[in-house]
Amino acid sequence: MIVKIEKLVYGGKGIGKLDGRVCFVPFVLPDEEVEVEIKKEKKSFIECEPLSIVEKSPFRTDPPCRYFRYCGGCDYQHITYEKQVEIKAEILLETLNRIGRLNIDRIDKIYPSKKPFNYRNRTQLKIRGEKIGFYMRESRQIINIDSCLLLKEDINGMISGVREILKFLIFQPEQVHIYSSSDGEALVKFVYQKRVRRFPLGLKHLRSFLSEKLKGAGIYHRKDDLLKRDVLLGESYIYEEYGGIKFRVSMDSFFQVNVYQVENLLDAVLQNIGDHEKAVDLFCGVGTLTLPSARYIKEIYGIESNPYAVNDANHNRKLNRIKNAKFFRMDANRSGGFIAELKPDLVIIDPPRTGVSDDLVRTFLDTDSIKRIIYVSCNPSTLARDLGYLKERYSVEKVYMIDMFPQTYHIESVVVLQKMK
Ligand SMILES: C[S@@+](CC[C@H](N)C(=O)[O-])C[C@H]1O[C@@H](n2cnc3c(N)ncnc32)[C@H](O)[C@@H]1O
């Protein structure tokens, strides 16, 4: 069976038509003719696997990773990097217009990643028996890897060390997380299914296997889908520096994953602060956007639910001697009352993939003081849904795309909304 691919859609797959039904095919490019086999048939669509490419796109390239197509991590390694970025920009626009019923005709600025490989500062390795690696595509089987092309080189250098460490452990962790700062300072987390009372290795040992720049290690167990730390060896944090600001980042706080794109994200946000007086930064993490923004505004308030991130943000505020920023631990999705009382004229939001709550959307619509919203999103579908509601009182002024996750289908964007008169 031959399918002609019309375009790529959010999620990484291409779509075409087979017997009049929509058909999804991974690892293809627009305009390619692909021989496929059917994997799953539903009433309204068909899932296929590509067998061979009959008519190749000029943008097809040889995937450099030997695990590509088996590993669940990458979707786009068969596409030249420039074309990946172009495709993501088209998907972003199409998603905003279709789900949000908007009428946006351009992306104002696209920031490709300076390096499309070796950009990630963190990884979560799954462990099972001798296997260390990532889940296989559409499966819970683990693909055994010795390196990953998305990871910073120093993290790859630590994977063989993890293998050695596991030989010392009677009880195997189910995951090992590694985080390495731009300076190569590293943190490691050993995650167990159940509580472990003793860990047989000290920080010195771990350093000898992993990196001399290892600052700390945490031993965790999983409880109700959350990680609980039982043992800490060394420090629980490392430092990052971006936009002239130093950030302490704890092993349990979030930080942007692509070392080449933090400055670009800041650029997109800071150039839109405009002439405002009082800002609130919701889902603020360790203050990555709050603290650089504080230079351009009278007062700024960061809201974050993770206590470790709030501690880091407060530490970072003092470390950088920033007096006009304040941080609060709060559920941002339920911060409507706080916002209504604060009366900010600018709102910055950077929610997780789920987007923002109905309550928060209502607050943005009902709070007259808010003149502008800078919405940072890692999921175009929920962004489009939220913009679809907000368009009642806000117009889309600017759209930026930051390619935070090269080789994958994920799309990071910044949308600037202006209150209509
Ligand atoms: C995508 S990150 C953005 C962090 C920050 N803006 C940055 O650039 O580093 C989302 C943040 O929202 C926090 N978060 C998730 N759900 C939240 C909630 N309901 N209320 C407040 N913060 C939340 C997470 O802990 C995380 O720090």
Side-chain angles (χ1 to χ4, degrees):
M1 278 162 292
I2 306 288
V3 175
K4 169 114 182 171
I5 304 302
E6 288 164 27
K7 59 181 179 179
L8 263 54
V9 290
Y10 188 57
K13 292 182 179 170
I15 55 168
K17 285 268 168 64
L18 202 59
D19 299 335
R21 270 183 295 175
V22 173
C23 144
F24 291 92
V25 194
F27 312 121
V28 292
L29 270 146
D31 300 325
E32 284 190 330
E33 279 180 27
V34 186
E35 187 192 358
V36 298
E37 69 172 344
I38 293 177
K39 282 280 164 197
K40 237 189 242 166
E41 250 180 292
K42 297 267 158 110
K43 238 189 194 159
S44 56
F45 67 91
I46 308 173
E47 298 264 12
C48 292
E49 274 297 299
L51 293 176
S52 67
I53 309 297
V54 180
E55 189 74 44
K56 255 190 194 176
S57 160
F59 304 105
R60 182 168 278 276
T61 188
D62 279 338
C65 176
R66 61 189 146 149
Y67 310 116
F68 184 60
R69 283 184 68 153
Y70 306 104
C71 173
C74 289
D75 315 282
Y76 283 171
Q77 279 194 29
H78 62 292
I79 308 176
T80 60
Y81 183 57
E82 292 69 26
K83 190 67 181 175
Q84 288 182 28
V85 174
E86 193 186 311
I87 288 172
K88 286 189 189 184
E90 282 165 15
I91 294 174
L92 174 62
L93 271 188
E94 192 273 334
T95 309
L96 294 181
N97 288 332
R98 180 174 42 86
I99 300 180
R101 294 174 312 282
L102 296 157
N103 209 358
I104 306 167
D105 57 6
R106 63 166 201 287
I107 294 181
D108 295 272
K109 187 162 179 184
I110 296 174
Y111 299 86
S113 181
K114 193 169 130 203
K115 278 197 183 182
F117 288 103
N118 303 113
Y119 63 82
R120 275 190 74 95
N121 58 19
R122 61 176 70 220
T123 188
Q124 298 192 358
L125 299 164
K126 318 274 187 266
I127 317 282
R128 204 172 298 147
E130 304 273 286
K131 288 187 179 169
I132 300 180
F134 305 119
Y135 285 137
M136 287 177 93
R137 191 164 68 92
E138 291 168 4
S139 140
R140 283 278 154 146
Q141 284 208 56
I142 291 168
I143 184 159
N144 199 28
I145 62 148
D146 49 24
S147 64
C148 162
L149 289 178
L150 301 196
L151 299 177
K152 276 171 71 203
E153 310 278 9
D154 60 331
I155 299 185
N156 277 325
M158 290 185 238
I159 295 178
S160 59
V162 171
R163 227 173 262 288
E164 289 302 309
I165 289 169
L166 292 181
K167 291 183 191 159
F168 286 87
L169 306 179
I170 300 168
F171 300 111
Q172 295 272 296
E174 57 173 26
Q175 291 185 16
V176 175
H177 301 183
I178 303 172
Y179 175 38
S180 160
S181 75
S182 353
D183 281 350
E185 287 190 333
L187 295 170
V188 64
K189 287 160 81 163
F190 293 85
V191 181
Y192 287 86
Q193 223 167 19
K194 293 208 175 94
R195 189 167 176 181
V196 171
R197 292 193 186 274
R198 272 195 67 244
F199 192 72
L201 299 177
L203 191 62
K204 241 182 166 179
H205 275 113
L206 294 176
R207 278 198 183 127
S208 70
F209 287 117
L210 297 175
S211 156
E212 278 311 308
K213 288 175 130 181
L214 183 72
K215 289 283 162 190
I219 318 302
Y220 289 72
H221 75 276
R222 194 174 286 287
K223 195 170 179 238
D224 309 327
D225 260 3
L226 290 174
L227 298 189
K228 210 172 162 317
R229 187 163 70 210
D230 300 313
V231 180
L232 174 68
L233 305 168
E235 309 280 14
S236 62
Y237 50 80
I238 45 90
Y239 286 92
E240 295 278 12
E241 193 166 344
Y242 289 100
I245 305 247
K246 209 166 170 186
F247 297 96
R248 185 182 83 181
V249 184
S250 292
M251 51 175 85
D252 297 309
S253 298
F254 170 90
F255 200 74
Q256 301 289 345
V257 299
N258 183 328
V259 293
Y260 302 105
Q261 291 293 49
V262 184
E263 297 278 2
N264 286 336
L265 174 60
L266 285 175
D267 184 61
V269 171
L270 296 180
Q271 63 180 274
N272 285 292
I273 299 277
D275 197 13
H276 295 91
E277 300 232 314
K278 200 190 273 184
V280 63
D281 177 17
L282 304 174
F283 310 92
C284 69
V286 302
T288 320
L289 307 175
T290 335
L291 296 172
S293 301
R295 287 198 199 115
Y296 304 98
I297 200 144
K298 235 173 163 176
E299 302 163 53
I300 186 159
Y301 299 83
I303 293 186
E304 164 66 46
S305 59
N306 175 349
Y308 297 97
V310 178
N311 278 345
D312 285 340
N314 274 317
H315 178 89
N316 296 335
R317 174 175 59 84
K318 287 183 206 139
L319 182 68
N320 294 283
R321 297 199 174 87
I322 294 172
K323 300 220 159 61
N324 57 339
K326 270 198 182 142
F327 293 95
F328 296 91
R329 182 180 169 197
M330 206 186 291
D331 179 349
N333 279 321
R334 300 171 69 178
S335 62
F338 177 86
I339 294 170
E341 210 168 291
L342 188 72
K343 298 190 177 57
D345 48 1
L346 174 69
V347 172
I348 301 171
I349 34 173
D350 185 4
R353 292 180 57 73
T354 43
V356 301
S357 66
D358 293 350
D359 271 10
L360 209 44
V361 167
R362 199 67 258 158
T363 302
F364 297 157
L365 291 174
D366 292 347
T367 308
D368 288 334
S369 65
I370 301 174
K371 299 291 178 260
R372 182 175 291 179
I373 300 173
I374 303 176
Y375 193 143
V376 181
S377 159
C378 58
N379 182 346
S381 306
T382 52
L383 168 68
R385 177 203 64 200
D386 296 341
L387 297 187
Y389 296 127
L390 292 169
K391 72 179 179 191
E392 194 183 312
R393 289 201 72 189
Y394 296 87
S395 63
V396 172
E397 290 286 295
K398 291 262 166 69
V399 180
Y400 302 84
M401 191 185 88
I402 293 137
D403 193 23
M404 192 68 85
F405 316 99
Q407 318 306 330
T408 78
Y409 74 82
H410 295 286
I411 300 175
E412 180 90 4
S413 62
V414 177
V415 173
V416 181
L417 299 167
Q418 193 67 32
K419 175 84 60 61
M420 291 181 287
K421 295 272 176 310

